[in-house]
Amino acid sequence: MNLTTTEPAEVSDTLSGGSQRGDRVFHGLAFAAGASIMVALAGVFIFLAIRGAAGFSAATGLYQPYTSFVPYAAGLLFGTALVAVLAMIIAVPFAVGVALFLTHYAPRPLSTVIAYLIDLLAAVPSVVFGLWGLKALGPALLPIQRWLNEHLGFIPFFAGEVSATGRTVFLAAIVLAIMVLPITTAICREVFGQTPRLHEEAALALGATRWEMIRYAVLPHSRSGIIAGTMLGLGRALGETMAVLLVLNASGPKITWHLLTSDNPATIASNIAQNFQGENIDLQVVLLATGLVLFVFTFLVNFAARWVVIRSERKFQ
Amino acid sequence: MAKSIDVSDLNIYYGDFLAVEGVNMTVKARSVTAFIGPSGCGKSTFLRSLNRMHEVIPGARVEGKVVVDGQSLYDPSVDPVAVRRQIGMVFQRPNPFPTMSIYDNVLAGKRLNAKKVKKSEADALVEKSLRGANLWSEVKDRLDKPGMGLSGGQQQRLCIARAIAVEPEVLLMDEPCSALDPISTSAIEDLIHELKSDYTIVIVTHNMQQAARVSDDTGFFNLKATGEPGHLVEFNPTKKMFTAPDNDATEAYISGRFG
Amino acid sequence: MSTDLSDVATDTTFPPPSLVRARLPRQATLIVGVLALALAVLGGPLLTGASWYSVPFVAGLLLVVLLPLWSLQVEGRRAAVDRLVTLLVTYAVTLALVPLVWVLAYTVIQGLPAINWAFLTKDQTTTLDPVTFKQMPGAGVLHAIVGTLLITLGATIISVPIGLLTAIYLVEYGAKSRMARIITVLVDVMTGIPSIVAGLFAVALFTQFGSVGTRIGFMGSVALSLLMIPTVVRSGEEMMRLVPADLREASYALGVPKWRTILKVVVPTAFGGILTGVMLAVSRVIGETAPLLVAVGTVDYMNTNLFSGRMQTLPVFIVSKYKQGADLLELAWGAALILVILVMVLNLTARIIGKIFAPKTGR
Ligand SMILES: Nc1ncnc2c1ncn2[C@@H]1O[C@H](COP(=O)(O)OP(=O)(O)O)[C@@H](O)[C@H]1O
Ligand SMILES: [Mg+2]
């Protein structure tokens, strides 16, 4: 090696380029974007709380038919939960069935096409679902609603006088079920597809039929995934606005278990959409407060879903 | 413009895991230095520490000194990006940029750094680099085609062309032939012979014959035991290494009795 | 998780030593299906005069009862259950596809008559007919189409940089850091925000700083971007993770700084996937109604200024025409058809782009 006295200085010059500045700026930008998501979420909570605070204790006339916020919100929450839970009761068996078909029954090309079609269902705007539910599905389901009332009317759910238009909780739940089917199916499909091949083959090697293989290898492995998919679907159903607004003939917050009558509970979201357009600023404030309740409630449901997933992931490890 | 590299007491870590321990060696300028040794003994890790590619992996760090012509690479004032411009690297798997043509791949080092290059200069640089990588005659008619469309051996030579287009002083190669067929391998070996007059070349190889054929010096890395860090067992001129190694373990490895 | 197979193994109907077992003929499902259909037609419309609509239901019911029964007789309980489940799963898929076809077909049938030149080129401003001096109601939805496009564009302009930069942070810079984990959770939470809450947030935010009745198009963009960002982050993250580490290293080894490597190598390589993700996100929010209803309101004339005054959008137009009365329902369906076409075109294009670009990223 022939080191001259000037060379190290020269090398040092070229080796200490200024590339780090660009990196720092870009890193900062990326970080800021991530942080802005934090700010936005906090903002949703804070601004709803600030603007809606007055809504928790507004003039009693605003809480028709109740007189204070708590029963008002509880009534709305009841309607919201009732419709959403019914929707999930209808949707989950279908979602599981479709997901099983896609992962374990259909040949590949067919499976791809059907998966695409189911995804397409998620792309149909909710207002279109609402109009269709109102004008097409509702009338078509009327005979079924009448039949249920006639033959199973002794069950409280089906009791009461059947709505003449069919715009009932029953119909709303079915429309919502159709709308949440894609997301729940997608998640079930993912977990079904992840069943260890080894377990499946172990079952088949023992002489299990396809259903037995699914029952003993696929379903136990996927239980938490099905729950997570259900919860996510539930989160969607809780927040769905337009379809419910259009399909359901709601008469404000109320608690009733009748699913087939024309006197139905409103949901938080549909109640907001129904009344927010008016010029009554005080009522808008109350509605903002109920929006906060909905936000917190869906947040809890989604969080529960995450918790279920994380807990079962731990169990697997 | 080729440079020598002095390594002293180099320890290389992945987080808390010490992967390579206490390496001392001098890589001579304008020569080919080969590293051999069983898998997992830290040859790649050591090679990547020579141009500060090691620290790209989160948590990775080194202790000790790597000095290139009097300048310590791990000095706080040194910009790793500038180091990599002077010490180029060719990887085990050919990795041309899939979104770029052959032409753009060769120029990538300049283009990605937003250097303005005149069209005539760019053309000249592309031709020179591709000729340097013995690829020019094969691709000169399809320079605008995607680099991914070439055969594995051609892709690897494209990667070499890309590396030398930045005009580095040292070229590090990590098992450059392990994904290639014998004909492409011999094309690359010929290339290494030619490049040696301009560059300092360090090559990791799994193939003992290859080390014997192409290199002037050879370093043998080994693990003391599984779980222990890798270390440099012996570093000697290739001739001596393959005829009368100093160390029994080296002899055992070279004669195929182990590893 | 251990799989409990003891039930299968100890089942008393486990096959006897012989390898040959009684099986239903290969076409069993078809045979029973045809039989069920025949019975349904005979016993339904032909003999009892029941509606033709009942035929598929009765036939389906007969099939799902008869086939497993036959199987039970010939093949045993386990095979019968297997056949039953296969049928049920197939039914689930068939039934799930009915609404899709029905909604789309119904929208086309109802909406097509409304669509004509005036519908696409005029707004809803009432005009005075110069000859008859009659008030002429507006005939078109151009203002709603323009409003929808502008508001969605605004949302895209907000969401794409934030979403992609966040994805870059998660994949390239923050990997596994505490901050990255927090952001991942928050993005999940954001995915679950009900759309109406996003609308309310925009209202709360803008009325906090503006006057109480503030309603502008940009508020809708803000609300929609809240719904779009998580989708963009997710898809961006997924696509950038697919870019092989080799390519980044190749770039670093050429002496390219990290930020340039990300911008010039990672993002271009993932570009197709990112574009698909963004377009899918747009197709998701372009049909959103609730946030626009509360945050933007509705008007009958064209407003092209995102930052001043209410704007009309297709989804809100649909709702307001529906509310205004039965004779305007045709307008609502026409707008619904346009909206559905818009969404489907976006959706399909996104997937086609995804297909075209896909092979390049996977090496
Ligand atoms: N990215 C990494 N993170 C953690 N440990 C690594 C990483 N890469 C390599 N190692 C470890 O460092 C040691 C040396 O690996 P490597 O340098 O790849 O060996 P060689 O190239 O000689 O086969 C091995 O024990 C390996 O497990
Ligand atoms: Mg290696």
Side-chain angles (χ1 to χ4, degrees):
Chain A
M1 286 191 310
N2 49 345
L3 282 181
T4 64
T5 43
T6 52
E7 232 182 307
E10 209 182 276
V11 173
S12 140
D13 229 34
T14 52
L15 284 186
S16 51
S19 76
Q20 270 141 357
R21 194 178 328 120
D23 254 334
R24 234 173 285 136
V25 170
F26 195 61
H27 188 160
L29 267 178
F31 182 86
S36 75
I37 285 185
M38 217 181 268
V39 173
L41 264 180
V44 170
F45 189 83
I46 292 169
F47 279 101
L48 284 183
I50 294 178
R51 301 295 302 173
F56 292 112
S57 53
T60 50
L62 294 169
Y63 299 120
Q64 296 291 348
Y66 301 101
T67 51
S68 69
F69 185 77
V70 173
Y72 180 76
L76 288 172
L77 206 52
F78 171 82
T80 310
L82 177 67
V83 178
V85 168
L86 279 176
M88 292 322 294
I89 292 176
I90 300 167
V92 169
F94 277 97
V96 171
V98 173
L100 278 180
F101 184 82
L102 295 177
T103 52
H104 287 86
Y105 284 87
R108 241 205 178 290
L110 182 65
S111 163
T112 317
V113 171
I114 292 188
Y116 174 71
L117 288 177
I118 298 280
D119 276 350
L120 214 54
L121 203 54
V124 176
S126 58
V127 56
V128 176
F129 267 122
L131 271 193
W132 166 79
L134 176 74
K135 292 286 168 195
L137 186 64
L141 288 184
L142 252 183
I144 297 184
Q145 300 204 30
R146 290 219 187 88
W147 188 90
L148 283 173
N149 178 257
E150 235 167 75
H151 296 90
L152 301 172
F154 56 90
I155 304 172
F157 292 121
F158 303 129
E161 191 171 332
V162 182
S163 152
T165 55
R167 297 175 54 192
T168 61
V169 170
F170 180 78
L171 177 62
I174 290 181
V175 172
L176 279 193
I178 295 169
M179 296 177 69
V180 297
L181 185 70
I183 180 160
T184 309
T185 304
I187 289 168
C188 290
R189 189 176 142 220
E190 208 177 309
V191 291
F192 291 166
Q194 283 166 357
T195 314
R197 218 43 236 138
L198 219 61
H199 288 184
E200 292 182 14
E201 286 175 356
L204 290 176
L206 282 173
T209 61
R210 179 148 47 176
W211 162 241
E212 286 161 350
M213 181 266 279
I214 289 170
R215 165 127 187 253
Y216 293 106
V218 179
L219 292 184
H221 177 269
S222 315
R223 198 173 300 134
S224 69
I226 298 175
I227 294 174
T230 307
M231 301 289 253
L232 281 181
L234 185 63
R236 284 279 162 88
L238 288 172
E240 177 49 48
T241 313
M242 291 326 289
V244 178
L245 177 66
L246 289 175
V247 161
L248 188 64
N249 184 24
S251 44
K254 70 181 296 155
I255 295 180
T256 164
W257 294 102
H258 295 171
L259 307 181
L260 306 176
T261 67
S262 53
D263 189 21
N264 298 297
T267 68
I268 296 184
S270 73
N271 185 54
I272 295 171
Q274 177 85 41
N275 299 311
F276 208 82
Q277 284 216 288
E279 296 305 316
N280 187 342
I281 302 293
D282 295 330
L283 183 57
Q284 287 187 6
V285 170
V286 172
L287 295 175
L288 276 172
T290 62
L292 187 62
V293 172
L294 178 62
F295 178 51
V296 172
F297 192 63
T298 48
F299 177 85
L300 291 178
V301 169
N302 282 316
F303 228 77
R306 274 186 72 80
W307 183 74
V308 168
V309 173
I310 289 171
R311 207 186 52 152
S312 64
E313 267 170 10
R314 280 218 194 96
K315 213 165 58 192
F316 276 115
Q317 277 158 9
Chain B
M1 63 191 218
K3 296 205 167 160
S4 63
I5 307 171
D6 285 293
V7 180
S8 41
D9 296 325
L10 198 67
N11 296 332
I12 313 177
Y13 295 85
Y14 289 101
D16 294 330
F17 170 63
L18 178 58
V20 180
E21 186 175 30
V23 178
N24 288 288
M25 73 164 68
T26 298
V27 174
K28 290 205 277 296
R30 287 199 188 78
S31 71
V32 178
T33 304
F35 297 152
I36 56 174
S39 296
C41 65
K43 304 177 299 289
S44 302
T45 304
F46 176 67
L47 192 75
R48 290 163 59 94
S49 71
L50 296 182
N51 69 342
R52 296 192 62 170
M53 279 297 284
H54 179 61
E55 67 206 53
V56 166
I57 293 158
R61 64 200 167 85
V62 305
E63 285 165 0
K65 271 193 144 181
V66 178
V67 178
V68 176
D69 272 8
Q71 173 68 43
S72 170
L73 290 191
Y74 285 95
D75 203 78
S77 67
V78 168
D79 179 0
V81 171
V83 170
R84 292 177 204 142
R85 251 171 247 166
Q86 294 189 10
I87 306 181
M89 185 155 202
V90 176
F91 297 82
Q92 183 168 356
R93 276 206 310 169
N95 52 3
F97 296 118
T99 52
M100 298 183 192
S101 65
I102 294 173
Y103 186 94
D104 290 334
N105 258 292
V106 177
L107 282 181
K110 302 256 185 238
R111 286 268 164 87
L112 290 178
N113 277 310
K115 292 250 167 57
K116 282 269 178 301
V117 198
K118 269 197 234 111
K119 175 80 175 119
S120 56
E121 278 173 33
D123 287 347
L125 180 63
V126 169
E127 178 168 349
K128 179 172 156 234
S129 309
L130 285 172
R131 277 191 197 284
N134 278 340
L135 191 61
W136 175 250
S137 57
E138 289 160 62
V139 301
K140 64 174 188 289
D141 300 323
R142 45 171 170 157
L143 290 176
D144 55 345
K145 294 276 171 347
M148 297 292 287
L150 299 174
S151 75
Q154 289 173 324
Q155 285 188 16
Q156 193 61 301
R157 277 179 283 153
L158 177 60
C159 292
I160 294 176
R162 181 175 70 186
I164 60 185
V166 211
E167 296 167 342
E169 309 179 359
V170 180
L171 207 51
L172 309 177
M173 301 185 174
D174 190 354
E175 301 186 31
C177 305
S178 69
L180 305 182
D181 61 282
I183 295 181
S184 311
T185 299
S186 92
I188 303 248
E189 284 181 13
D190 291 345
L191 176 58
I192 290 172
H193 262 298
E194 287 165 27
L195 291 174
K196 157 174 137 172
S197 52
D198 293 322
Y199 302 93
T200 304
I201 294 177
V202 185
I203 176 172
V204 171
T205 173
H206 251 117
N207 178 330
M208 235 82 66
Q209 283 78 32
Q210 185 170 63
R213 279 194 302 265
V214 302
S215 70
D216 303 301
D217 296 307
T218 301
F220 172 53
F221 285 80
N222 200 359
L223 296 164
K224 287 196 188 94
T226 41
E228 297 276 299
H231 66 128
L232 179 63
V233 177
E234 180 170 351
F235 187 73
N236 265 321
T238 303
K239 258 214 196 89
K240 177 168 166 41
M241 196 83 158
F242 281 86
T243 50
D246 292 336
N247 190 299
D248 290 346
T250 315
E251 166 137 43
Y253 183 73
I254 286 171
S255 58
R257 267 184 280 133
F258 124 142
Chain C
M1 170 161 288
S2 73
T3 310
D4 181 14
L5 292 167
S6 53
D7 267 29
V8 180
T10 58
D11 191 323
T12 45
T13 58
F14 203 70
S18 159
L19 289 179
V20 184
R21 274 202 298 155
R23 308 257 313 150
L24 291 188
R26 228 175 327 179
Q27 314 288 357
T29 313
L30 190 68
I31 296 168
V32 180
V34 170
L35 183 74
L37 195 64
L39 281 178
V41 171
L42 267 182
L46 289 194
L47 292 186
T48 60
S51 136
W52 279 98
Y53 289 115
S54 69
V55 170
F57 296 99
V58 175
L61 205 65
L62 283 173
L63 176 61
V64 86
V65 172
L66 293 182
L67 185 66
L69 274 181
W70 187 16
S71 170
L72 185 66
Q73 287 300 310
V74 181
E75 299 173 317
R77 189 184 62 81
R78 295 175 49 208
V81 172
D82 192 46
R83 283 189 189 270
L84 177 65
V85 175
T86 306
L87 277 179
L88 289 180
V89 164
T90 316
Y91 283 7
V93 174
T94 319
L95 258 170
L97 291 178
V98 168
L100 178 69
V101 177
W102 192 356
V103 168
L104 294 184
Y106 197 78
T107 309
V108 171
I109 292 169
Q110 299 290 318
L112 218 46
I115 294 185
N116 52 43
W117 186 242
F119 190 73
L120 295 175
T121 52
K122 291 218 158 65
D123 61 15
Q124 289 284 312
T125 327
T126 316
T127 47
L128 204 61
D129 190 309
V131 183
T132 59
F133 290 102
K134 265 197 193 150
Q135 296 263 320
M136 301 289 290
V141 291
L142 184 64
H143 61 314
I145 298 178
V146 169
T148 288
L149 293 179
L150 281 178
I151 288 176
T152 314
L153 182 71
T156 312
I157 290 174
I158 300 171
S159 317
V160 170
I162 293 184
L164 286 189
L165 279 170
T166 304
I168 286 173
Y169 179 77
L170 293 178
V171 177
E172 307 285 340
Y173 285 108
K176 293 190 190 132
S177 71
R178 199 183 169 73
M179 177 73 176
R181 258 177 321 191
I182 293 175
I183 292 177
T184 307
V185 173
L186 292 184
V187 170
D188 266 7
V189 170
M190 220 169 168
T191 316
I193 292 186
S195 61
I196 189 136
V197 171
L200 289 183
F201 162 67
V203 172
L205 175 69
F206 280 76
T207 54
Q208 182 72 29
F209 299 115
S211 75
V212 182
T214 311
R215 297 287 183 275
I216 56 175
F218 189 65
M219 289 164 67
S221 297
V222 169
L224 293 188
S225 68
L226 212 58
L227 303 171
M228 241 182 109
I229 286 174
T231 326
V232 176
V233 175
R234 277 276 167 286
S235 67
E237 202 187 340
E238 196 176 315
M239 289 306 142
M240 284 190 249
R241 281 196 206 286
L242 281 181
V243 175
D246 306 20
L247 291 183
R248 295 185 182 89
E249 300 212 324
S251 175
Y252 297 148
L254 290 171
V256 179
K258 187 164 184 168
W259 67 282
R260 283 196 156 276
T261 302
I262 293 168
L263 284 181
K264 302 276 173 141
V265 176
V266 178
V267 172
T269 308
F271 183 75
I274 292 175
L275 190 61
T276 305
V278 169
M279 287 182 70
L280 284 179
V282 171
S283 84
R284 277 288 143 75
V285 298
I286 203 168
E288 277 296 349
T289 317
L292 301 181
L293 193 65
V294 297
V296 185
T298 163
V299 286
D300 279 341
Y301 51 84
M302 175 87 84
N303 172 13
T304 51
N305 188 347
L306 261 184
F307 298 95
S308 153
R310 297 173 178 235
M311 278 173 114
Q312 186 61 290
T313 52
L314 282 170
V316 177
F317 177 85
I318 296 170
V319 181
S320 59
K321 285 304 145 193
Y322 159 72
K323 280 188 180 161
Q324 280 170 24
D327 48 333
L328 295 174
L329 206 58
E330 184 171 283
L331 286 180
W333 278 114
L337 179 56
I338 293 180
L339 186 61
V340 166
I341 291 174
L342 215 57
V343 171
M344 294 295 153
V345 166
L346 267 171
N347 205 288
L348 280 172
T349 323
R351 283 162 202 271
I352 291 169
I353 286 177
K355 273 264 147 48
I356 293 174
F357 280 91
K360 261 195 187 165
T361 46
R363 279 158 37 93

